[in-house]
Amino acid sequence: MDFLNEKAKLLQQGEIRAMFDKAKMYENVISLGIGEPDLDTPEKIVQAGCEALKSGKTHYTANAGIIELRKEISKFLKNNHIEYNPEKEIIVTTGAMGALSMSLMVILEEGDEVLIQDPQWLNYKAQVKFFGGKPIPVPVYEKNEFKLTAKDIEKRITDKTKAIMINTPNNPTGAVLDYEELESIAELAIKNDLMVIADEVYHTLVYDGQKHYSIASLKGMKDRTITINSFSKSFAMTGWRVGYAAGSEKIIDKMIKLQENLVACVSTSGQYGAVEALKNYELTKELKEIFLKRRNLIVEQLNNIKGISCIVPKGSFYLFLNIKETGMTSKEFAEDLLEKEKVITIPGSAFGEMGEGYLRIAYTLKEEKLTEAAERIKTYVENLNLRGD
Ligand code: PLP
């Protein structure tokens, strides 16, 4: 007897995990596939988490999260020009993933369309589908630095469109949306009465004088936006599983009730760690400097290899490498590169049709390792040219 429901039958392992599984067959592998900081959580935050446990903070918390943390989040968002009431408009979630999935669960009706840029982080599409929605891809182009545009969104709005997903700074492309584009997207959302789900987990990682803006801070946007953020990438806290959503009281109230039924609350010690993180916001600047140096190094090294190229990404810790000149598909290239030179990259096609011809590279490794990876990629590409494949 098959007890699975139809939706569960459709669940599949993402391509990122699949590449890691393949890599287990090899030794001496360098991974440019890991979408998390390689650095450990700063000591101060670890201490706060440990102290919480030692002082008996080992119980459930409110479903919405501890009020100390919601107040710190509210303060942080205020600095970002959006006022959220910590009592009613903020929920602490199990990472941004918890916030994303619960947002979709409370807003989607069966068949609702959600506009998602292509290429985009794979989990959006999987989540939207699982919760009954229909992901509609909106292409982004390298010639426009992979930036999502209101013009391309508008062409795909129908009477079934419910929401637009925005992820700036972006995974997998490293693109950062500028203020003017966010304004145009906000205008569209208001005109067509759409929700915006704004995933800002890479908000601290913006370079070259670029600034991160929250679309919820634009006029008329607060109540139609769910702002999602997390401690994972900005404070190197992926394993703590703490994130949050901020939005209108109506939506957050239902997310809190949903969380009561799903996971009750986020790990208590994790929440205390997160309070300490926000009280020491300058820690994010140290992380940013490390990633900026690495970005500069790897971009230069890869752009010195004949036959492949990348634009300089303005944010996050990913770059999107153009391999079109090789004539190979991104899956062929990534698998062959792993087999021959033992470097893990993620095929761009894993992130959507528009990702074909690209590889996602995460520069979440020390500089020596990045240099070694770039050398291996160089050897691989040079040998391709020699073989004439
Ligand atoms: N959103 C994006 C765009 C991501 O790339 C990731 C992780 O890779 C997440 C959300 C998940 O973040 P969290 O660890 O807070 O669940």
Side-chain angles (χ1 to χ4, degrees):
M1 176 102 72
D2 188 353
F3 292 112
L4 286 173
N5 67 27
E6 292 310 311
K7 274 186 188 164
K9 282 182 197 159
L10 294 175
L11 286 173
Q12 279 179 339
Q13 183 190 41
E15 289 256 7
I16 299 181
R17 288 288 138 212
M19 273 311 279
F20 287 123
D21 284 351
K22 276 195 195 98
K24 284 186 193 143
M25 290 158 43
Y26 305 101
E27 277 175 19
N28 188 22
V29 169
I30 301 180
S31 180
L32 298 173
I34 302 174
E36 64 169 330
D38 51 319
L39 305 130
D40 294 336
T41 306
E43 184 55 29
K44 264 188 183 171
I45 302 173
V46 173
Q47 285 284 347
C50 292
E51 271 159 31
L53 287 171
K54 283 188 186 152
S55 64
K57 300 212 166 74
T58 55
H59 304 271
Y60 292 128
T61 71
N63 301 126
I66 57 173
I67 190 67
E68 295 95 311
L69 179 53
R70 283 181 280 146
K71 280 185 177 162
E72 283 301 323
I73 293 168
S74 167
K75 239 193 262 173
F76 161 75
L77 289 166
K78 199 168 172 189
N79 289 339
N80 234 4
H81 314 291
I82 335 169
E83 297 226 13
Y84 287 106
N85 177 345
E87 306 271 355
K88 296 183 172 148
E89 296 179 319
I90 293 172
I91 175 172
V92 180
T93 57
T94 47
M97 294 200 72
L100 281 163
S101 49
M102 287 198 296
S103 304
L104 294 168
M105 280 190 245
V106 300
I107 68 165
L108 288 186
E109 301 283 3
E110 202 67 32
D112 277 351
E113 294 180 354
V114 181
L115 300 173
I116 306 176
Q117 78 164 62
D118 177 358
Q120 183 57 65
W121 186 51
L122 359 144
N123 301 61
Y124 290 165
K125 206 168 139 188
Q127 286 193 349
V128 167
K129 276 193 189 159
F130 197 77
F131 300 129
K134 190 169 171 209
I136 304 292
V138 182
V140 296
Y141 303 94
E142 186 176 11
K143 63 178 189 295
N144 188 35
E145 296 181 3
F146 299 111
K147 286 191 253 185
L148 180 66
T149 67
K151 210 166 119 220
D152 284 315
I153 293 173
E154 189 165 25
K155 287 185 206 150
R156 289 160 183 88
I157 294 175
T158 69
D159 54 4
K160 292 223 171 89
T161 310
K162 181 68 152 284
I164 306 168
M165 310 266 309
I166 290 185
N167 172 219
T168 176
N170 189 261
N171 173 11
T173 65
V176 176
L177 291 185
D178 38 43
Y179 192 79
E180 289 69 30
E181 202 58 62
L182 285 175
E183 274 186 325
S184 308
I185 296 172
E187 248 173 60
L188 262 189
I190 293 167
K191 187 171 124 200
N192 295 282
D193 196 18
L194 303 177
M195 282 228 59
V196 172
I197 299 179
D199 176 348
E200 306 185 350
V201 298
Y202 297 99
H203 68 288
T204 55
L205 299 169
V206 277
Y207 317 117
D208 306 335
Q210 196 93 15
K211 257 194 92 187
H212 166 74
Y213 297 100
S214 290
I215 196 165
S217 67
L218 274 57
K219 196 163 170 266
M221 286 305 290
K222 190 188 144 190
D223 281 348
R224 63 174 65 253
T225 304
I226 305 178
T227 302
I228 289 173
N229 212 326
S230 148
F231 296 83
S232 289
K233 319 284 175 166
S234 39
F235 293 96
M237 288 175 70
T238 46
W240 295 64
R241 311 307 303 129
V242 191
Y244 58 89
S248 70
E249 181 180 341
K250 216 169 161 184
I251 286 184
I252 297 299
D253 176 60
K254 291 298 177 196
M255 285 174 71
I256 294 168
K257 290 180 173 132
L258 181 59
Q259 179 142 283
E260 175 187 344
N261 290 294
L262 292 180
V263 294
C265 63
V266 173
S267 122
T268 305
S269 54
Q271 295 187 56
Y272 282 97
V275 170
E276 189 65 18
L278 282 179
K279 284 187 174 160
N280 292 278
Y281 196 72
E282 69 286 352
L283 290 170
T284 65
K285 302 210 168 75
E286 290 168 27
L287 274 180
K288 174 183 151 172
E289 287 313 310
I290 292 171
F291 284 115
L292 174 62
K293 265 201 200 145
R294 292 174 177 182
R295 182 206 67 168
N296 291 344
L297 178 92
I298 189 81
V299 165
E300 191 189 334
Q301 288 176 337
L302 292 175
N303 275 334
N304 278 333
I305 303 172
K306 204 169 161 282
I308 58 174
S309 65
C310 67
I311 57 162
V312 183
K314 295 287 197 292
S316 74
F317 42 56
Y318 305 102
L319 65 84
F320 221 46
L321 184 69
N322 186 326
I323 55 145
K324 290 183 181 176
E325 246 187 74
T326 66
M328 298 167 82
T329 67
S330 53
K331 198 155 184 244
E332 282 166 354
F333 190 112
E335 289 184 352
D336 202 37
L337 174 66
L338 173 61
E339 192 186 317
K340 306 233 164 61
E341 294 297 331
K342 318 287 180 282
V343 177
I344 303 182
T345 54
I346 310 297
S349 54
F351 303 96
E353 240 172 69
M354 296 297 290
E356 186 52 273
Y358 297 91
L359 298 180
R360 189 192 76 173
I361 305 258
Y363 43 95
T364 48
L365 291 179
K366 294 207 169 45
E367 288 169 38
E368 311 83 79
K369 276 280 169 209
L370 284 177
T371 301
E372 194 184 334
E375 277 161 10
R376 292 188 192 189
I377 294 174
K378 186 167 187 229
T379 307
Y380 177 73
V381 176
E382 281 174 358
N383 285 342
L384 274 185
N385 292 338
L386 288 176
R387 289 202 303 270
D389 327 307

